[in-house]
């Protein structure tokens, strides 16, 4: 039986795993206490929060006291970057990031530029991988933070985080990575990665939207963004969102337990998708190096094709994302596509396909049929 709607946009957001929903339900009905209360309902809620904290810590190879819960990846990135900058401004005002970061990092850095901080934006190579030599050259005596994403959300390129972490340690610089796209897809042990701060976004890992976490290595000091009571070890005030914290904890536990199975299926389906696309014989190129990319991500550009028109045609049948190109040429082409695309004539035809842990060959087969029909209907050139 053909699927009525095929979802190939898992890098944008994932569905809630049914086991995550089951874990959350009791905290929407019976267990409604405030975790700060000392009666039975409060204790139950507190235990649930701490269990989720352990689940996240176990996946990352961290200690439970090094995990705090946030409203999502954006807040975690803001806290990590602004918190570090403000806590260390007596030591320096220089921050290093990459040119391909998510807006949840880039826009934070732009804000800090208005607050007297200097930001260096390091470029990437043709595979979307950060140029480590340029990063080394960017370090100065006033550098207090390096923030580099673990994996790019557009082309899936995996960054040399461990190597960068070693460089940061040598210079006594705090190192943060946005792992929103990588958790559950590739290994994210904080000790192996040499990171001081790591961001998790729940809705990228089959948990609800509006929940995330931040790993803060013991000894790393951050200035708070929010003020109130002393929740989350006095790092993030506000009554804990118990329901969603439980959901995130369960999602992380599942990702940890089923890691090999999930990553294997994602890679197999990503490769099968590429194989099927190639049978269409369109003039297309793969952006980035699939051997150095997330196992679920395929970014392709098709010559003389309007990706947005195709996606609109498919809107009720297949979900996928367009690239960052626009009809005005390369003005709004993302930095990662500027680096990976050798011919900008392909730019407007850029698609990001991202499969999930449960994606099937049947779904891909059906998607390819819809994809070709959309191309033919719009009379797009091969």
């Amino acid at each position: 039986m053909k699927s009525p709607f095929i979802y190939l946009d898992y890098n944008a957001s994932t569905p809630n795993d049914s086991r995550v929903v089951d874990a959350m339900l009791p905290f929407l009905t019976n267990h409604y206490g405030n975790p700060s209360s000392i009666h039975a309902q409060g204790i139950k809620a507190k235990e649930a929060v701490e269990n989720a904290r352990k689940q996240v810590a176990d996946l990352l190879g961290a200690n439970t006291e090094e995990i705090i819960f946030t409203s999502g990846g954006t807040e975690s990135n803001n806290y990590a970057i602004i918190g570090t900058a403000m806590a260390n401004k007596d030591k320096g005002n220089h921050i290093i990031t990459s040119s391909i970061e998510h807006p949840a990092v880039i826009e934070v850095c732009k804000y800090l530029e208005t607050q007297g901080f200097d930001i260096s934006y390091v470029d990437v190579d043709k595979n979307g991988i950060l140029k480590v030599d340029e990063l080394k050259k960017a370090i100065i005596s006033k550098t207090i933070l390096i923030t580099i994403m673990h994996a790019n959300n557009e082309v899936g390129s995996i960054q040399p985080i461990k190597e960068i972490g070693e460089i940061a340690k040598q210079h006594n610089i705090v190192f943060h990575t946005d792992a929103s796209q990588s958790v559950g897809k590739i290994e994210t042990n904080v000790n192996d990665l040499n990171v001081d701060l790591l961001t998790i976004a729940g809705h990228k890992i089959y948990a609800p939207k509006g929940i995330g976490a931040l790993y803060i290595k013991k000894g790393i000091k951050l200035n708070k963004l929010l003020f109130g009571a002393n929740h989350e070890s006095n790092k993030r005030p506000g009554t804990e969102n118990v329901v969603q914290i439980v959901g995130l904890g369960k999602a992380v536990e599942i990702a940890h337990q089923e890691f090999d199975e999930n990553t294997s299926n994602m890679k197999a389906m990503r490769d099968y998708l590429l194989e099927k696309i190639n049978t269409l014989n369109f003039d297309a190129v793969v952006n980035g190096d699939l051997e150095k990319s997330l196992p679920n991500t395929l970014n392709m550009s098709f010559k003389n094709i309007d990706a947005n028109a195709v996606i609109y045609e498919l809107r009720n049948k297949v979900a996928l994302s367009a690239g960052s190109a626009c009809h005005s040429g390369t003005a709004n082409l993302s930095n990662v596509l500027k680096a990976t695309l050798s011919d900008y004539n392909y730019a407007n035809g850029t698609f990001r396909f991202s499969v999930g842990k449960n994606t099937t060959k049947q779904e891909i087969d059906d998607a390819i049929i819809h994809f070709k029909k959309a191309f033919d209907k719009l009379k797009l050139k091969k």
Side-chain angles (χ1 to χ4, degrees):
M1 181 178 178
K2 292 186 177 181
S3 303
F5 188 81
I6 302 154
Y7 194 75
L8 297 176
D9 201 19
Y10 286 84
N11 280 10
S13 194
T14 57
N16 290 328
D17 189 296
S18 61
R19 292 165 290 180
V20 169
V21 175
D22 289 342
M24 293 168 60
L25 282 175
F27 295 89
L28 285 167
T29 54
N30 298 328
H31 308 313
Y32 43 79
N34 187 319
S36 297
S37 300
I38 60 173
H39 50 63
Q41 279 285 2
I43 292 171
K44 184 71 175 180
K46 181 68 173 178
E47 288 174 345
V49 169
E50 295 312 312
N51 180 60
R53 200 184 310 279
K54 185 178 186 303
Q55 289 167 319
V56 175
D58 286 348
L59 174 69
L60 299 180
N63 296 318
T64 54
E65 61 267 25
E66 295 176 314
I67 305 299
I68 70 160
F69 294 110
T70 68
S71 63
T74 294
E75 184 189 336
S76 291
N77 286 339
N78 272 259
Y79 186 24
I81 297 168
I82 298 175
T84 299
M86 295 305 178
N88 292 277
K89 60 183 178 181
D90 59 325
K91 299 177 183 178
N93 69 335
H94 182 237
I95 296 170
I96 299 173
T97 189
S98 81
S99 60
I100 64 166
E101 298 295 313
H102 189 276
V105 168
I106 291 288
E107 293 302 317
V108 179
C109 290
K110 287 182 179 179
Y111 162 73
L112 286 174
E113 286 181 302
T114 70
Q115 303 301 306
F117 290 87
D118 293 327
I119 314 294
S120 293
Y121 299 90
V122 180
D123 288 328
V124 296
D125 64 19
K126 64 180 181 179
N127 291 320
I129 307 295
L130 185 105
K131 297 178 179 178
V132 176
D133 287 343
E134 285 194 13
L135 182 141
K136 289 179 180 178
K137 293 176 183 177
I139 295 173
I140 59 176
S141 61
K142 293 183 179 180
T143 305
I144 55 174
L145 173 66
I146 297 173
T147 175
I148 305 293
M149 61 172 33
H150 192 188
N152 181 257
N153 50 295
E154 292 180 58
V155 301
S157 53
I158 300 170
Q159 306 306 319
I161 297 302
K162 183 175 182 178
E163 183 181 357
I164 297 169
E166 291 171 351
I167 295 168
K169 281 185 179 179
Q170 292 169 8
H171 293 85
N172 196 30
I173 299 169
V174 177
F175 181 36
H176 164 251
T177 190
D178 178 358
S180 297
Q181 287 292 348
S182 57
V183 172
K185 299 172 188 172
I186 57 177
E187 294 288 351
T188 49
N189 183 288
V190 292
N191 300 299
D192 293 341
L193 292 176
N194 291 321
V195 296
D196 300 305
L197 301 157
L198 182 143
T199 290
I200 293 178
H203 74 111
K204 308 293 188 182
I205 193 170
Y206 305 90
K209 300 171 185 66
I211 186 66
L214 178 64
Y215 159 75
I216 307 172
K217 185 177 181 179
K218 185 177 180 180
I220 298 297
K221 295 182 179 180
L222 305 178
N223 278 17
K224 290 194 293 186
L225 299 185
L226 303 173
F227 298 88
N230 62 350
H231 304 88
E232 292 299 287
S233 300
N234 199 27
K235 291 182 172 68
R236 201 264 189 180
T239 301
E240 294 89 345
N241 186 348
V242 180
V243 174
Q244 296 204 52
I245 288 173
V246 168
L248 176 61
K250 186 63 178 179
V252 166
E253 179 185 70
I254 293 168
H256 196 186
Q257 293 174 346
E258 301 176 0
F259 180 82
D260 291 340
E261 176 187 347
N262 290 342
T263 55
S264 177
N265 185 67
M266 284 188 282
K267 185 178 186 304
M269 292 303 99
R270 190 271 311 269
D271 293 347
Y272 182 69
L273 175 61
L274 176 59
E275 177 186 329
K276 297 298 288 186
I277 290 174
N278 286 337
T279 65
L280 299 177
N281 295 317
F282 286 103
D283 187 354
V285 294
V286 174
N287 298 311
D289 183 347
L290 293 184
E291 296 302 314
K292 300 175 182 177
S293 174
L294 292 173
N296 80 315
T297 305
L298 175 64
N299 189 294
M300 295 187 71
S301 297
F302 295 74
K303 194 172 185 178
N304 300 322
I305 284 176
D306 183 348
N308 287 316
V310 173
I311 289 173
Y312 185 78
E313 179 67 24
L314 294 174
R315 65 192 182 281
N316 295 320
K317 298 170 183 173
V318 183
L320 64 157
S321 289
S324 299
C326 72
H327 295 291
S328 62
T330 62
N332 291 332
L333 190 63
S334 71
N335 285 323
V336 71
L337 288 178
K338 285 179 182 177
T340 57
L341 263 177
S342 58
D343 185 347
Y344 289 166
N345 288 318
Y346 290 78
N348 285 336
T350 300
F351 296 85
R352 182 191 68 187
F353 305 89
S354 47
V355 302
K357 63 182 183 180
N358 296 319
T359 299
T360 65
K361 283 188 174 182
Q362 184 64 60
E363 287 179 309
I364 291 173
D365 289 341
D366 293 345
I368 291 298
I369 292 171
H370 292 313
F371 203 59
K372 186 177 185 304
K373 284 182 178 178
F375 278 25
D376 292 342
K377 180 177 180 179
L378 295 169
K379 298 180 180 179
L380 301 171
K381 299 178 181 178
K382 291 187 179 182

